[in-house]
Amino acid sequence: MKKYRIIFIAIIGALSFNSCKKFLTTTDTNPVQTSSSYYKTPADAFTALVGCYNGLDLIWNNGGAAAFPVCTEVFSDNCFGGTGASDGFGFQMLDEFAPKVSPSDASIFSGMWKNYYQAIYRCNVLLQNMDQVSWGDSTGLKIQYTAEAKFIRAYCYFDMVRLWEKVPLIITPTLANVPQTDPELTYAQIMSDLRFGADSLPSVVYSASHPGRVTKWAAESLLARVYLFYSGYYGKATIGNETAATALAAVEDVIAHSGHGLVSDFNSLWPAASIGKNVPFAGSANKEAVFSIKYSSTGGNYNGNVTGNTWMVMEGIREQTVYPYQYGWGACTVEPKLWNAFKATDARRFASIISIADENLAFTDGSKNREYTGYYLKKYSPISDINGNSIVPNFQSGQYQDYYSIRYSDVLLMAAELGSPNAVSYFNQVHQRSNPTDTPVTSVTKADILAERRLEFVGEGIRYYDVLRQGIATAAATIAANTTVSLFTDNSSAPPTAAQLQANITTTRGFQQIPNDQITLSSGVLKQNAGW
């Protein structure tokens, strides 16, 4: 498969997990060593495991343009493409599920495709060489490192199979061109890897002292998320050996034994919101963060090893800094219907969405933003100091806000949706946190849970797949109804009708265009998805 993914050396400099920033600043220490000569001691395996985590950190590191948390918000009914009025129409085409006409737009996901396979390659190399290591009395570490590497591999494949459906499933290092795999087999492998982690990782109660490490609780939570999407989208009750009952048991275990919980103030989860509300930031390792992708500002400036959160700049308000919001490229302008879906008293509205009018911001550059609505995503907005200066030296490559991949509120709502006898209590815990004056509900339906999930997870890359797993017809109708700003399906100036957009989503079945350059480089082994 070397023609359409970049192979990176899996041996990364030994670093300490005690410091997130050191953990993310990786360098090659001995690139002439090979897999057969390197893996000798548990310390060698740990170094390689750090490389796997670093691969996870870099998966969306292609300038941030089409990173998973950004593009999935555009796919959904939450946001429009946005970006600059003079920019290309790549993000509008994402919003339209429309074939890309320019070479760069047709391969908009190329960097992300390669970076996923870089991370997977590192995991596969480590897993293949576990038995070479002289573990001695550290066999427990062998199991732990295996579980962590398998989780990272499963995490990458879950993103990829939801984006492109049929992707090459590779579980051992190879240089061959590998054809795409039936998604059922990919999901079975994902579940197998996550089950290994859920059963093998120790039941250690949450601690903020080792942020970023995969835990038993992360594996159980992701297993439930995978189950809900696969069973909803494909209409199948079993994935590998997993069922609704095993998925529910997994998240109930997290709730009962992990030590994770909700922070008291929703605004404190997000740096920009905590500044606006003058509340202390809860910190990236807070008890609600079941699993996060860690970022650092120390990785350089697009030198191949940037470990900053490069995709945050895409969501910044267009070109003009207005404290506390640092300017960015204006992607993901928010659909006004989403703002109006919140009650004015819901704490999540302020925490999730920048409202130019309601916050009385002296913002005057709306004309420079395509699809300007007066609303921007806030949770991952770059922030400035009081003088309007970026809080990091390089605002494009140095953002260090972590991405909460799995929050405890998601665990509660997944358990409720999977049929927990405590569903009403779990639902109320999430809703009452941000709406303390509301009367607690006494019953809850799946529709109630899905509506709550939309408000809880704005800007976190979750909404689109919550809609998609309700069925293509429902997803197409929901997204088409909320896409009302003038967009473009080709080089003409005529926006598509809602019916045309609905047809695009139906034809593509909600999956994205495999990068054209990767199809070319594979000599035709890769086949393009329907509708593209």
Side-chain angles (χ1 to χ4, degrees):
M1 198 169 156
K2 64 182 177 181
K3 292 182 180 179
Y4 54 94
R5 65 180 171 84
I6 297 174
I7 305 300
F8 270 60
I9 294 173
I11 303 168
I12 308 297
L15 303 166
S16 172
F17 271 110
N18 293 330
S19 167
C20 165
K21 305 313 175 188
K22 290 181 181 178
F23 164 65
L24 291 172
T25 307
T26 58
T27 56
D28 290 342
T29 58
N30 193 351
V32 299
Q33 287 186 302
T34 65
S35 296
S36 60
S37 66
Y38 178 77
Y39 291 88
K40 300 298 183 185
T41 69
D44 296 336
F46 178 79
T47 299
L49 179 63
V50 171
C52 296
Y53 276 97
N54 179 248
L56 186 62
D57 174 65
L58 299 177
I59 54 176
W60 303 322
N61 177 15
N62 61 324
F68 189 92
V70 180
C71 65
T72 51
E73 289 298 311
V74 175
F75 302 156
S76 79
D77 54 341
N78 282 350
C79 297
F80 304 121
T83 68
S86 60
D87 291 346
F89 288 99
F91 267 53
Q92 282 64 45
M93 291 174 179
L94 291 180
D95 200 19
E96 292 283 321
F97 294 78
K100 317 302 188 294
V101 293
S102 74
S104 60
D105 289 337
S107 297
I108 194 170
F109 291 122
S110 184
M112 192 158 65
W113 175 282
K114 290 182 285 189
N115 289 346
Y116 277 122
Y117 276 113
Q118 290 167 18
I120 290 167
Y121 178 78
R122 294 180 181 187
C123 294
N124 286 340
V125 170
L126 173 58
L127 292 168
Q128 179 176 267
N129 288 283
M130 281 292 187
D131 290 338
Q132 286 188 203
V133 175
S134 298
W135 292 99
D137 58 0
S138 299
T139 53
L141 287 180
K142 177 183 179 181
I143 296 172
Q144 179 176 336
Y145 295 174
T146 298
E148 291 179 74
K150 286 189 173 186
F151 176 95
I152 294 170
R153 181 171 68 183
Y155 186 100
C156 292
Y157 271 122
F158 185 44
D159 278 3
M160 294 179 75
V161 77
R162 284 183 296 167
L163 281 168
W164 300 296
E165 190 179 37
K166 293 182 179 179
V167 297
L169 176 61
I170 303 170
I171 58 174
T172 58
T174 179
L175 298 180
N177 276 332
V178 178
Q180 289 142 294
T181 304
D182 186 291
E184 185 171 353
L185 298 178
T186 303
Y187 276 101
Q189 182 63 50
I190 291 168
M191 283 302 206
S192 175
D193 283 349
L194 293 176
R195 174 52 62 189
F196 185 90
D199 291 346
S200 303
L201 288 164
S203 301
V204 178
V205 175
Y206 156 77
S207 169
S209 61
H210 296 290
R213 294 291 293 270
V214 173
T215 64
K216 174 185 181 70
W217 322 120
E220 289 182 322
S221 300
L222 188 57
L223 187 151
R225 181 181 288 179
V226 174
Y227 180 83
L228 280 169
F229 178 76
Y230 181 87
S231 62
Y233 185 85
Y234 293 99
K236 296 182 179 180
T238 302
I239 317 172
N241 295 320
E242 306 300 335
T243 65
T246 63
L248 175 58
V251 281
E252 292 280 30
D253 191 33
V254 178
I255 294 167
H257 302 115
S258 71
H260 284 287
L262 300 176
V263 302
S264 59
D265 189 335
F266 190 83
N267 285 281
S268 72
L269 287 166
W270 318 101
S274 64
I275 292 172
K277 287 295 184 180
N278 195 27
V279 297
F281 174 48
S284 59
N286 66 77
K287 65 179 179 179
E288 191 161 336
V290 178
F291 183 69
S292 300
I293 293 182
K294 311 298 290 183
Y295 290 104
S296 164
S297 63
T298 61
N301 182 16
Y302 294 110
N303 61 357
N305 196 31
V306 176
T307 53
N309 187 333
T310 61
W311 54 267
M312 280 180 60
V313 69
M314 294 300 301
E315 297 183 2
I317 61 177
R318 185 70 191 186
E319 295 191 25
Q320 181 185 347
T321 296
V322 183
Y323 178 77
Y325 310 117
Q326 166 70 36
Y327 78 87
W329 307 142
C332 303
T333 50
V334 173
E335 160 68 76
K337 292 178 185 177
L338 175 58
W339 171 265
N340 293 327
F342 285 95
K343 295 171 57 177
T345 54
D346 192 325
R348 295 172 296 193
R349 187 175 77 165
F350 178 85
S352 304
I353 302 172
I354 299 169
S355 171
I356 299 300
D358 291 81
E359 296 183 43
N360 197 28
L361 300 176
F363 180 71
T364 58
D365 281 356
S367 63
K368 297 180 180 179
N369 205 147
R370 184 175 290 134
E371 301 172 297
Y372 178 70
T373 64
Y375 301 103
Y376 293 95
L377 293 175
K378 182 181 291 185
K379 290 177 179 176
Y380 292 101
S381 170
I383 55 179
S384 72
D385 63 23
I386 192 66
N387 297 314
N389 300 312
S390 174
I391 63 169
V392 295
N394 190 311
F395 85 102
Q396 292 192 76
S397 63
Q399 302 293 336
Y400 52 79
Q401 184 177 338
D402 295 344
Y403 171 61
Y404 299 138
S405 178
I406 305 171
R407 290 196 288 114
Y408 184 72
S409 59
D410 194 8
V411 175
L412 291 171
L413 291 177
M414 287 192 293
E417 188 176 345
L418 285 163
S420 170
N422 299 313
V424 171
S425 171
Y426 295 161
F427 180 91
N428 281 327
Q429 287 180 51
V430 175
H431 184 80
Q432 298 294 125
R433 191 239 313 247
S434 298
N435 298 272
T437 62
D438 284 3
T439 301
V441 302
T442 57
S443 62
V444 65
T445 66
K446 181 175 180 177
D448 296 331
I449 295 167
L450 288 169
E452 192 72 17
R453 288 179 65 83
R454 187 187 189 193
L455 303 182
E456 180 73 14
F457 303 119
V458 170
E460 298 181 53
I462 289 176
R463 171 63 178 176
Y464 176 62
Y465 294 105
D466 278 353
V467 173
L468 196 58
R469 64 186 173 89
Q470 296 175 59
I472 292 296
T474 297
T478 300
I479 295 168
N482 276 36
T483 304
T484 58
V485 173
S486 178
L487 308 178
F488 297 84
T489 55
D490 52 33
N491 290 328
S492 73
S493 59
T497 65
Q500 288 172 325
L501 177 56
Q502 193 166 345
N504 288 352
I505 298 169
T506 302
T507 301
T508 62
R509 299 173 50 247
F511 296 110
Q512 296 304 306
Q513 182 173 6
I514 292 173
N516 278 1
D517 64 347
Q518 300 305 311
I519 291 176
T520 299
L521 290 170
S522 74
S523 300
V525 172
L526 292 177
K527 307 300 181 185
Q528 188 55 269
N529 284 330
W532 299 104

mmCIF file of all heavy atoms in Angstrom, residues 49-83:
data_model
loop_
_atom_site.group_PDB
_atom_site.id
_atom_site.type_symbol
_atom_site.label_atom_id
_atom_site.label_comp_id
_atom_site.label_asym_id
_atom_site.label_seq_id
_atom_site.Cartn_x
_atom_site.Cartn_y
_atom_site.Cartn_z
ATOM 1 N N LEU A 49 5.170 2.961 21.593
ATOM 2 C CA LEU A 49 3.801 3.318 21.951
ATOM 3 C C LEU A 49 3.615 4.836 21.936
ATOM 4 O O LEU A 49 2.580 5.339 21.495
ATOM 5 C CB LEU A 49 3.462 2.763 23.341
ATOM 6 C CG LEU A 49 2.058 3.087 23.865
ATOM 7 C CD1 LEU A 49 0.983 2.472 22.971
ATOM 8 C CD2 LEU A 49 1.902 2.591 25.310
ATOM 9 N N VAL A 50 4.628 5.558 22.412
ATOM 10 C CA VAL A 50 4.575 7.019 22.327
ATOM 11 C C VAL A 50 4.415 7.446 20.865
ATOM 12 O O VAL A 50 3.675 8.376 20.548
ATOM 13 C CB VAL A 50 5.845 7.658 22.939
ATOM 14 C CG1 VAL A 50 5.896 9.155 22.659
ATOM 15 C CG2 VAL A 50 5.893 7.412 24.438
ATOM 16 N N GLY A 51 5.094 6.745 19.954
ATOM 17 C CA GLY A 51 4.944 7.036 18.533
ATOM 18 C C GLY A 51 3.529 6.811 18.044
ATOM 19 O O GLY A 51 3.024 7.550 17.187
ATOM 20 N N CYS A 52 2.842 5.790 18.592
ATOM 21 C CA CYS A 52 1.448 5.552 18.230
ATOM 22 C C CYS A 52 0.567 6.707 18.682
ATOM 23 O O CYS A 52 -0.288 7.190 17.928
ATOM 24 C CB CYS A 52 0.960 4.245 18.852
ATOM 25 S SG CYS A 52 1.808 2.758 18.263
ATOM 26 N N TYR A 53 0.769 7.157 19.909
ATOM 27 C CA TYR A 53 0.004 8.305 20.394
ATOM 28 C C TYR A 53 0.307 9.551 19.575
ATOM 29 O O TYR A 53 -0.583 10.350 19.274
ATOM 30 C CB TYR A 53 0.316 8.568 21.868
ATOM 31 C CG TYR A 53 -0.478 7.726 22.832
ATOM 32 C CD1 TYR A 53 0.055 6.557 23.377
ATOM 33 C CD2 TYR A 53 -1.764 8.099 23.219
ATOM 34 C CE1 TYR A 53 -0.667 5.790 24.270
ATOM 35 C CE2 TYR A 53 -2.496 7.334 24.112
ATOM 36 C CZ TYR A 53 -1.944 6.186 24.636
ATOM 37 O OH TYR A 53 -2.663 5.424 25.515
ATOM 38 N N ASN A 54 1.571 9.726 19.227
ATOM 39 C CA ASN A 54 1.930 10.879 18.407
ATOM 40 C C ASN A 54 1.252 10.804 17.046
ATOM 41 O O ASN A 54 0.807 11.813 16.500
ATOM 42 C CB ASN A 54 3.453 10.932 18.233
ATOM 43 C CG ASN A 54 3.909 12.091 17.381
ATOM 44 O OD1 ASN A 54 4.396 11.883 16.280
ATOM 45 N ND2 ASN A 54 3.765 13.309 17.881
ATOM 46 N N GLY A 55 1.123 9.593 16.502
ATOM 47 C CA GLY A 55 0.397 9.423 15.244
ATOM 48 C C GLY A 55 -1.051 9.849 15.375
ATOM 49 O O GLY A 55 -1.614 10.461 14.472
ATOM 50 N N LEU A 56 -1.663 9.540 16.525
ATOM 51 C CA LEU A 56 -3.035 9.967 16.763
ATOM 52 C C LEU A 56 -3.123 11.481 16.845
ATOM 53 O O LEU A 56 -4.053 12.100 16.323
ATOM 54 C CB LEU A 56 -3.548 9.338 18.060
ATOM 55 C CG LEU A 56 -5.017 9.547 18.423
ATOM 56 C CD1 LEU A 56 -5.919 8.940 17.356
ATOM 57 C CD2 LEU A 56 -5.313 8.947 19.791
ATOM 58 N N ASP A 57 -2.133 12.093 17.455
ATOM 59 C CA ASP A 57 -2.082 13.555 17.545
ATOM 60 C C ASP A 57 -1.992 14.204 16.168
ATOM 61 O O ASP A 57 -2.515 15.297 15.953
ATOM 62 C CB ASP A 57 -0.868 13.954 18.388
ATOM 63 C CG ASP A 57 -0.638 15.449 18.426
ATOM 64 O OD1 ASP A 57 -1.486 16.168 18.968
ATOM 65 O OD2 ASP A 57 0.384 15.901 17.880
ATOM 66 N N LEU A 58 -1.347 13.521 15.219
ATOM 67 C CA LEU A 58 -1.086 14.118 13.904
ATOM 68 C C LEU A 58 -2.146 13.802 12.849
ATOM 69 O O LEU A 58 -2.040 14.277 11.719
ATOM 70 C CB LEU A 58 0.276 13.633 13.384
ATOM 71 C CG LEU A 58 1.504 13.984 14.234
ATOM 72 C CD1 LEU A 58 2.762 13.375 13.611
ATOM 73 C CD2 LEU A 58 1.673 15.478 14.393
ATOM 74 N N ILE A 59 -3.196 13.030 13.194
ATOM 75 C CA ILE A 59 -4.110 12.555 12.147
ATOM 76 C C ILE A 59 -4.802 13.686 11.411
ATOM 77 O O ILE A 59 -5.122 13.558 10.237
ATOM 78 C CB ILE A 59 -5.152 11.564 12.689
ATOM 79 C CG1 ILE A 59 -5.919 12.141 13.885
ATOM 80 C CG2 ILE A 59 -4.509 10.234 13.025
ATOM 81 C CD1 ILE A 59 -7.031 11.219 14.395
ATOM 82 N N TRP A 60 -5.070 14.801 12.094
ATOM 83 C CA TRP A 60 -5.752 15.914 11.420
ATOM 84 C C TRP A 60 -4.791 17.050 11.127
ATOM 85 O O TRP A 60 -5.193 18.186 10.878
ATOM 86 C CB TRP A 60 -6.919 16.417 12.282
ATOM 87 C CG TRP A 60 -7.889 15.323 12.592
ATOM 88 C CD1 TRP A 60 -8.282 14.309 11.761
ATOM 89 C CD2 TRP A 60 -8.570 15.106 13.827
ATOM 90 N NE1 TRP A 60 -9.174 13.482 12.393
ATOM 91 C CE2 TRP A 60 -9.376 13.946 13.667
ATOM 92 C CE3 TRP A 60 -8.609 15.777 15.049
ATOM 93 C CZ2 TRP A 60 -10.192 13.448 14.683
ATOM 94 C CZ3 TRP A 60 -9.418 15.287 16.053
ATOM 95 C CH2 TRP A 60 -10.198 14.135 15.874
ATOM 96 N N ASN A 61 -3.492 16.727 11.125
ATOM 97 C CA ASN A 61 -2.465 17.741 10.961
ATOM 98 C C ASN A 61 -2.115 17.891 9.480
ATOM 99 O O ASN A 61 -1.061 17.490 9.020
ATOM 100 C CB ASN A 61 -1.229 17.351 11.776
ATOM 101 C CG ASN A 61 -0.092 18.323 11.587
ATOM 102 O OD1 ASN A 61 -0.284 19.423 11.083
ATOM 103 N ND2 ASN A 61 1.105 17.911 11.965
ATOM 104 N N ASN A 62 -3.044 18.471 8.713
ATOM 105 C CA ASN A 62 -2.756 18.774 7.312
ATOM 106 C C ASN A 62 -3.185 20.209 7.023
ATOM 107 O O ASN A 62 -3.822 20.514 6.033
ATOM 108 C CB ASN A 62 -3.472 17.798 6.364
ATOM 109 C CG ASN A 62 -4.985 17.869 6.512
ATOM 110 O OD1 ASN A 62 -5.486 18.058 7.606
ATOM 111 N ND2 ASN A 62 -5.712 17.707 5.419
ATOM 112 N N GLY A 63 -2.813 21.087 7.969
ATOM 113 C CA GLY A 63 -3.235 22.468 7.879
ATOM 114 C C GLY A 63 -4.609 22.688 8.477
ATOM 115 O O GLY A 63 -5.098 23.803 8.548
ATOM 116 N N GLY A 64 -5.245 21.610 8.940
ATOM 117 C CA GLY A 64 -6.511 21.720 9.625
ATOM 118 C C GLY A 64 -7.713 21.914 8.732
ATOM 119 O O GLY A 64 -8.841 22.008 9.208
ATOM 120 N N ALA A 65 -7.497 21.972 7.409
ATOM 121 C CA ALA A 65 -8.594 22.355 6.521
ATOM 122 C C ALA A 65 -9.764 21.389 6.580
ATOM 123 O O ALA A 65 -10.917 21.798 6.650
ATOM 124 C CB ALA A 65 -8.077 22.484 5.090
ATOM 125 N N ALA A 66 -9.499 20.100 6.523
ATOM 126 C CA ALA A 66 -10.579 19.122 6.466
ATOM 127 C C ALA A 66 -10.506 18.159 7.642
ATOM 128 O O ALA A 66 -10.788 16.984 7.504
ATOM 129 C CB ALA A 66 -10.526 18.364 5.148
ATOM 130 N N ALA A 67 -10.126 18.657 8.799
ATOM 131 C CA ALA A 67 -10.047 17.807 9.977
ATOM 132 C C ALA A 67 -11.426 17.289 10.358
ATOM 133 O O ALA A 67 -12.439 17.960 10.166
ATOM 134 C CB ALA A 67 -9.434 18.585 11.141
ATOM 135 N N PHE A 68 -11.461 16.104 10.914
ATOM 136 C CA PHE A 68 -12.708 15.421 11.235
ATOM 137 C C PHE A 68 -13.676 16.285 12.046
ATOM 138 O O PHE A 68 -14.856 16.382 11.692
ATOM 139 C CB PHE A 68 -12.383 14.124 11.987
ATOM 140 C CG PHE A 68 -13.557 13.211 12.195
ATOM 141 C CD1 PHE A 68 -13.855 12.211 11.288
ATOM 142 C CD2 PHE A 68 -14.352 13.339 13.321
ATOM 143 C CE1 PHE A 68 -14.930 11.365 11.480
ATOM 144 C CE2 PHE A 68 -15.429 12.501 13.536
ATOM 145 C CZ PHE A 68 -15.718 11.508 12.615
ATOM 146 N N PRO A 69 -13.251 16.944 13.148
ATOM 147 C CA PRO A 69 -14.230 17.733 13.921
ATOM 148 C C PRO A 69 -14.787 18.921 13.152
ATOM 149 O O PRO A 69 -15.892 19.378 13.443
ATOM 150 C CB PRO A 69 -13.416 18.207 15.134
ATOM 151 C CG PRO A 69 -12.247 17.282 15.207
ATOM 152 C CD PRO A 69 -11.930 16.944 13.783
ATOM 153 N N VAL A 70 -14.028 19.440 12.172
ATOM 154 C CA VAL A 70 -14.485 20.583 11.382
ATOM 155 C C VAL A 70 -15.444 20.126 10.293
ATOM 156 O O VAL A 70 -16.577 20.609 10.185
ATOM 157 C CB VAL A 70 -13.291 21.339 10.759
ATOM 158 C CG1 VAL A 70 -13.776 22.525 9.932
ATOM 159 C CG2 VAL A 70 -12.319 21.804 11.836
ATOM 160 N N CYS A 71 -14.999 19.182 9.471
ATOM 161 C CA CYS A 71 -15.807 18.800 8.304
ATOM 162 C C CYS A 71 -17.105 18.127 8.711
ATOM 163 O O CYS A 71 -18.134 18.296 8.035
ATOM 164 C CB CYS A 71 -15.006 17.922 7.353
ATOM 165 S SG CYS A 71 -14.507 16.316 7.999
ATOM 166 N N THR A 72 -17.113 17.377 9.821
ATOM 167 C CA THR A 72 -18.355 16.711 10.208
ATOM 168 C C THR A 72 -19.412 17.700 10.686
ATOM 169 O O THR A 72 -20.612 17.432 10.561
ATOM 170 C CB THR A 72 -18.102 15.644 11.286
ATOM 171 O OG1 THR A 72 -17.343 16.209 12.364
ATOM 172 C CG2 THR A 72 -17.350 14.465 10.713
ATOM 173 N N GLU A 73 -18.989 18.834 11.233
ATOM 174 C CA GLU A 73 -19.969 19.870 11.564
ATOM 175 C C GLU A 73 -20.566 20.471 10.291
ATOM 176 O O GLU A 73 -21.752 20.806 10.239
ATOM 177 C CB GLU A 73 -19.324 20.957 12.419
ATOM 178 C CG GLU A 73 -18.988 20.519 13.829
ATOM 179 C CD GLU A 73 -20.201 20.116 14.636
ATOM 180 O OE1 GLU A 73 -21.192 20.868 14.662
ATOM 181 O OE2 GLU A 73 -20.176 19.024 15.244
ATOM 182 N N VAL A 74 -19.746 20.600 9.242
ATOM 183 C CA VAL A 74 -20.238 21.108 7.964
ATOM 184 C C VAL A 74 -21.206 20.109 7.332
ATOM 185 O O VAL A 74 -22.230 20.493 6.756
ATOM 186 C CB VAL A 74 -19.063 21.404 7.010
ATOM 187 C CG1 VAL A 74 -19.567 21.809 5.625
ATOM 188 C CG2 VAL A 74 -18.190 22.513 7.582
ATOM 189 N N PHE A 75 -20.917 18.817 7.429
ATOM 190 C CA PHE A 75 -21.827 17.809 6.885
ATOM 191 C C PHE A 75 -23.203 17.888 7.537
ATOM 192 O O PHE A 75 -24.218 17.599 6.907
ATOM 193 C CB PHE A 75 -21.312 16.384 7.130
ATOM 194 C CG PHE A 75 -19.966 16.066 6.567
ATOM 195 C CD1 PHE A 75 -19.206 15.034 7.130
ATOM 196 C CD2 PHE A 75 -19.433 16.755 5.493
ATOM 197 C CE1 PHE A 75 -17.964 14.711 6.620
ATOM 198 C CE2 PHE A 75 -18.188 16.442 4.988
ATOM 199 C CZ PHE A 75 -17.450 15.415 5.560
ATOM 200 N N SER A 76 -23.243 18.241 8.803
ATOM 201 C CA SER A 76 -24.466 18.151 9.591
ATOM 202 C C SER A 76 -25.390 19.332 9.339
ATOM 203 O O SER A 76 -25.099 20.222 8.532
ATOM 204 C CB SER A 76 -24.116 18.086 11.079
ATOM 205 O OG SER A 76 -23.795 19.383 11.575
ATOM 206 N N ASP A 77 -26.491 19.349 10.072
ATOM 207 C CA ASP A 77 -27.415 20.478 10.012
ATOM 208 C C ASP A 77 -27.032 21.596 10.972
ATOM 209 O O ASP A 77 -27.784 22.556 11.139
ATOM 210 C CB ASP A 77 -28.849 20.004 10.290
ATOM 211 C CG ASP A 77 -28.975 19.243 11.602
ATOM 212 O OD1 ASP A 77 -27.962 18.754 12.126
ATOM 213 O OD2 ASP A 77 -30.112 19.115 12.115
ATOM 214 N N ASN A 78 -25.856 21.488 11.601
ATOM 215 C CA ASN A 78 -25.406 22.520 12.532
ATOM 216 C C ASN A 78 -24.807 23.734 11.837
ATOM 217 O O ASN A 78 -24.982 24.862 12.298
ATOM 218 C CB ASN A 78 -24.352 21.963 13.493
ATOM 219 C CG ASN A 78 -24.946 21.135 14.610
ATOM 220 O OD1 ASN A 78 -26.160 21.111 14.791
ATOM 221 N ND2 ASN A 78 -24.098 20.442 15.351
ATOM 222 N N CYS A 79 -24.054 23.503 10.760
ATOM 223 C CA CYS A 79 -23.197 24.551 10.210
ATOM 224 C C CYS A 79 -23.197 24.566 8.688
ATOM 225 O O CYS A 79 -23.491 23.555 8.039
ATOM 226 C CB CYS A 79 -21.750 24.355 10.680
ATOM 227 S SG CYS A 79 -21.507 24.499 12.455
ATOM 228 N N PHE A 80 -22.812 25.713 8.145
ATOM 229 C CA PHE A 80 -22.524 25.865 6.723
ATOM 230 C C PHE A 80 -21.021 25.762 6.511
ATOM 231 O O PHE A 80 -20.245 25.706 7.467
ATOM 232 C CB PHE A 80 -23.041 27.210 6.218
ATOM 233 C CG PHE A 80 -24.505 27.422 6.474
ATOM 234 C CD1 PHE A 80 -24.941 28.490 7.228
ATOM 235 C CD2 PHE A 80 -25.442 26.545 5.958
ATOM 236 C CE1 PHE A 80 -26.295 28.689 7.461
ATOM 237 C CE2 PHE A 80 -26.799 26.737 6.185
ATOM 238 C CZ PHE A 80 -27.220 27.806 6.944
ATOM 239 N N GLY A 81 -20.593 25.770 5.250
ATOM 240 C CA GLY A 81 -19.167 25.681 4.968
ATOM 241 C C GLY A 81 -18.399 26.902 5.440
ATOM 242 O O GLY A 81 -17.354 26.814 6.060
ATOM 243 N N GLY A 82 -18.935 28.098 5.138
ATOM 244 C CA GLY A 82 -18.250 29.321 5.541
ATOM 245 C C GLY A 82 -16.949 29.532 4.792
ATOM 246 O O GLY A 82 -16.856 29.284 3.596
ATOM 247 N N THR A 83 -15.915 29.958 5.485
ATOM 248 C CA THR A 83 -14.594 30.380 5.006
ATOM 249 C C THR A 83 -14.700 31.719 4.271
ATOM 250 O O THR A 83 -15.762 32.348 4.270
ATOM 251 C CB THR A 83 -13.899 29.309 4.135
ATOM 252 O OG1 THR A 83 -14.589 29.152 2.889
ATOM 253 C CG2 THR A 83 -13.826 27.975 4.850
#
